[in-house]
Each structure stands twice: as structure tokens, then as C-alpha cells.
Amino acid sequence: VAVSLYVKDTVAPSLASFNYFANLGILQMVFTEAMDYSTFVPTGVTLEGNNVTASPSLQLGSDSHLCRHCSGDEYIVSQCTSATYACASCSSCPAGSYISAACTSTANTNCSVCSTCGADQYVLQACSAFADTVCAPCTSSCGASHFKQAACSTNADTVCSACSLCGTGSYQTAACNASHDTECHACATCPSLHYQIAACNATADTVCTTCTNCSANGQWQQKPCSGAYDAVCGVCQTCSTDEYLASPCSELSDADCNHCTACSASQYRVQACSPTSDTQCQACTTCGSGYYANASCTATSDTVCAACPSNCDTCSSASTCETCLPDFYLRNGQCVQTCPAGTYTDPVEQSCGDCHASCTTCQSGPYATQCLSCPASLRLLLGVCQPRGGCGGSSYWNGTSCAACSSNCTTCFGPGSSQCLTCAPGRMQLYRSCYDAGSCPSGTFSDIPSGTCTSCSADCLTCSDSSTCTQCSSSTVLLDGACVAACGRGLFTTA
């Protein structure tokens, strides 16, 4: 009980009023005068009234000899007396223990030792100030498709995990069991010069084997070793008797056989075809100017050239010229500088040509009209050797007798229609030929008065007279009987 104020007085105080706060353990008394607390020694307090009892937690204070209320962290050791304190502090539980019963107003705290979990248990909830250790049994088996990742320990249960599945590109080396997970390993890739004979699957690695070495077996590689396939080897071909080896069989290609070359007609064989090389052909030599082929080129030998006779440009033998050097002329296989009697010099052919049989000598041609001199029995008339009495009518001297001219000729020097000297009446003459009137060759017209085929004007293909064209060349057009370069104004070309 706490008294706020008291005063020592000779006059006995009287209690004016009081209040008891049971929840606070306080008795408040109000006196009629001031009180001295040190001299206030009550001998006892009795509370009366409906449902009111004396508080058991009141004790007598040593300094005031008043009973006081135990505080919240205290409990009553004994009832309040005039000699001792009646309250004691509530105990705290030491480490390794917990409050099994809390401190009350009449009893101290009750502590109990924290429990220890057994060998097959783990601490589900640790011992705390107000609760004992909570133990739980360890999980003994993880079950199907699971394995023990971590064993049960003091503070944790067994850790179980689902068994792993090996993913794509890996295979299982050890199955999942109670104590460990599935063990996986990456699938192997076949190294160089190896190929796969068994693919990697769920439980087995890739199986590789060495690629076949074709060349070691005298073969060549048609297809390379790759992936899941071995190399494909081919047997090296052997060349036939009419072939040669152009390129040998190698690691990556077959032997290449080519047909032996046959030398052409203008070549000869220098070297025969062999198993390893083709026929060697050489062009036959052509003998140059002044030489001839003394031995012809054959299948196996070249031309043999020899010098031609003197003055020959080309020849066919040691005694027969074919063409001559400049200023020499060929006569009977020989080259002469001057053609003999009975021949004439042909500058085009560079040879000596025979005169007509009626001539003794002639000039520049073989015709009967080109005689220069005649035998004694004939006379020369207009280049023709004729009988001294002449051939009558439409006849000519053929060297031995008079023969009839062509029906187109009036006079002639030979039997042909182009060997006329003059034409029969009504026929048109063009050089040594005679034509019917109106049948002159293209580019000429029949000139009746002169009895000749006369040339049309320039650019005329056909004409009716010297001033009237009927057809023009392709570079000109016909206008009023003349061939002109282009049509005049207001005109156009017709087909």
C-alpha cells in the first residue's frame, strides 16, 4: 500500500475517504489532514463490501511496514508479515530449456530441459522459450522414380528428387536408384575418317568404326565416307588393247582410258600406241618447190623428197616436170625456154601447146584460125591453112579434108556453132557464134540491119533496141524504157 502524504499531528486524523484499485494493487486513502508517511503505521487493513476480499498480493513494505503488491515479474513467496518481503522475481529458464509453466502470482516459473530428437528423427520445430522441441520421423524411402538427394539430418528431413531423363543428344550410363540420380553422357560424334554404325539411343552411345581406305585395296573412292555410311569403293578399270592409260587410278578417281589415235591419211605414225601413251602422229612432209616425192608417205614412214630436174618448179619424178620456173615452159615433162616448132607459148598454163594439125607453126592457140605457117600443100588465108584451091561453100579444112560447117554458119573454121566466120542469112552474129533473130543472149538485142547481136545500154539486162530497156539490173529501176537510179517525184516502184 502506498500513501502519498502523511503529517505527524497530535490530533488523531480521521479517514475521510478511500479507493481500492484491485487491478493495480493500490489502496488510496484520503484523511482529514496531512499525514507523515514515516509515522503512519497502520496495524491492519480490512476491506468490506459486496464481493470484496482482501488482495493476497499485499505485503508489508520494510521501509513503511506496509504490505505491497507483487509486480508483474514477481510472485508471492509468503504471506506479508512485519518482518520479511513476501515477493520474489520470476526465474528465467536457462539455455537448453523452455518454460513448461509460466510464472504466476503465487508460483515461480517452471523450466524443462529441451528434448533431443532420436536417431531416425529430425527437428521439425526447434525448442523455443515456451515450447519444447518438435521431432518428426525421417522419410525412409523416396518411392518410385525418385532418389535420395540428401540424407535426413538433425534439422532437415530426407530430400527426395524426381529421377532425371537424359535429353536429346545424350544417353544413360547409370540408371536412377534409391541413392543417386540417372547418370547421362553426351552422345559421341564420329571423328574424321570414321562413320556411324549404330546411332546413339537412350541407353547406348554412338558406335563408330574406321572408314574403308579404298586406295589401300587397289580401288578408288566413288563416294566418300560420311555420317552413317562407309566409303563406296570402285574397282580400277583396266584399259583394253586398243586403249591407253590417260590418267592412272587415284584415291578419288578411276583410271581414264582413251582410244588409241588413228593417224589420218595425211599423217604417219612416229610411235605406236602403248598401254601408257597414245599413238604419236606426224604430218606427212609436202615436198617444196623444186622437189618431188621420191617415196610416198605411208602409215609408218614420212615422204622422201628428191630434187626435181633443172628449171622445174614442181615435178613428179626425177625426169618429169609438172610446172616450170618463171620464163620456162612445160613441154613433154621438160621445162624449155623456147617452145619447139608445131607448138605455141601458152603464158597462162606456162606450157607449150600443140598447134592445130593443119598448121606448121601457130600463134597463141590451138585453133585452125591461129596458124602462122602451113605445110607446102596448103596456103595460109586469114590465119587458116587451106587447100591451095580452097574449100567451096559452107565448109572448112580440117587438116586433111574439107568438112561441112555448122548450119548456123555461112563460112567457118571448124565444125562447131561457135566457130563461124560469117552467119547464115537471117541469123545474128556475136563474136564467132550465130543466133536466130530475137534470140540474142541477155544484155544484147537483134540488130537486123547489121545482122549482129548488139549490146544494150548500161544497166539493161534486156532491151528491144539500143535506146529501149525492157528489164534493169537490181540497182536501178525501169522508167520510160531507161534504167534510172530512182523513181521521180509522184512515182513509186512496183514489183
Side-chain angles (χ1 to χ4, degrees), residues 88-313:
S89 296
C90 293
S91 300
S92 297
C93 293
S97 63
Y98 68 96
I99 300 173
S100 56
C103 184
T104 66
S105 62
T106 59
N108 193 13
T109 305
N110 184 30
C111 296
S112 297
V113 177
C114 293
S115 300
T116 301
C117 294
D120 294 326
Q121 294 179 321
Y122 68 96
V123 177
L124 179 64
Q125 182 175 319
C127 185
S128 63
F130 296 95
D132 192 9
T133 305
V134 178
C135 298
C138 293
T139 300
S140 60
S141 175
C142 290
S145 302
H146 288 73
F147 70 98
K148 185 188 291 184
Q149 185 173 2
C152 187
S153 63
T154 301
N155 297 314
D157 191 10
T158 305
V159 178
C160 295
S161 295
C163 294
S164 301
L165 296 175
C166 295
T168 302
S170 62
Y171 68 99
Q172 177 182 298
T173 55
C176 183
N177 58 31
S179 61
H180 64 78
D181 192 10
T182 307
E183 292 183 12
C184 300
H185 195 278
C187 293
T189 300
C190 293
S192 177
L193 302 180
H194 290 73
Y195 71 99
Q196 174 185 299
I197 58 173
C200 185
N201 57 37
T203 59
D205 194 8
T206 308
V207 179
C208 303
T209 190
T210 305
C211 296
T212 299
N213 184 351
C214 297
S215 59
N217 301 324
Q219 298 177 319
W220 68 282
Q221 181 179 287
Q222 292 179 324
K223 289 185 179 179
C225 182
S226 175
Y229 299 97
D230 192 11
V232 177
C233 301
V235 177
C236 295
Q237 70 168 320
T238 302
C239 299
S240 62
T241 54
D242 62 343
E243 294 178 323
Y244 69 95
L245 186 64
S247 59
C249 190
S250 65
E251 181 182 358
L252 300 177
S253 62
D254 193 7
D256 184 15
C257 296
N258 288 348
H259 284 285
C260 293
T261 300
C263 297
S264 67
S266 61
Q267 297 176 316
Y268 68 98
R269 188 175 65 240
V270 176
Q271 179 179 307
C273 189
S274 71
T276 58
S277 62
D278 192 12
T279 308
Q280 298 294 315
C281 298
Q282 186 83 26
C284 292
T285 299
T286 300
C287 296
S289 178
Y291 291 85
Y292 71 98
N294 191 35
S296 299
C297 187
T298 66
T300 59
S301 62
D302 194 10
T303 307
V304 177
C305 296
C308 291
S310 60
N311 304 325
C312 287
D313 187 32

Side-chain angles (χ1 to χ4, degrees), residues 402-460:
C402 290
C405 293
S406 167
S407 60
N408 291 339
C409 306
T410 300
T411 59
C412 64
F413 57 87
S417 60
S418 62
Q419 293 178 306
C420 299
L421 293 174
T422 58
C423 295
R427 296 183 181 275
M428 305 292 111
Q429 186 169 1
L430 180 62
Y431 307 115
R432 298 298 186 181
S433 298
C434 297
Y435 298 89
D436 291 334
S439 299
C440 286
S442 178
T444 64
F445 68 95
S446 299
D447 187 357
I448 304 291
S450 65
T452 60
C453 291
T454 304
S455 297
C456 298
S457 61
D459 296 321
C460 283

Side-chain angles (χ1 to χ4, degrees), residues 305-379:
C305 296
C308 291
S310 60
N311 304 325
C312 287
D313 187 32
T314 61
C315 60
S316 58
S317 70
S319 59
T320 306
C321 296
E322 291 182 338
T323 60
C324 300
L325 295 175
D327 300 326
F328 287 86
Y329 302 92
L330 184 64
R331 179 64 179 173
N332 296 329
Q334 300 298 311
C335 291
V336 297
Q337 200 163 18
T338 302
C339 289
T343 64
Y344 67 94
T345 301
D346 186 343
V348 176
E349 296 295 330
Q350 199 177 345
S351 65
C352 296
D354 289 321
C355 295
H356 189 270
S358 63
C359 305
T360 299
T361 59
C362 60
Q363 180 182 6
S364 69
Y367 300 112
T369 57
Q370 295 176 308
C371 295
L372 288 177
S373 62
C374 301
S377 59
L378 301 177
R379 65 186 180 91

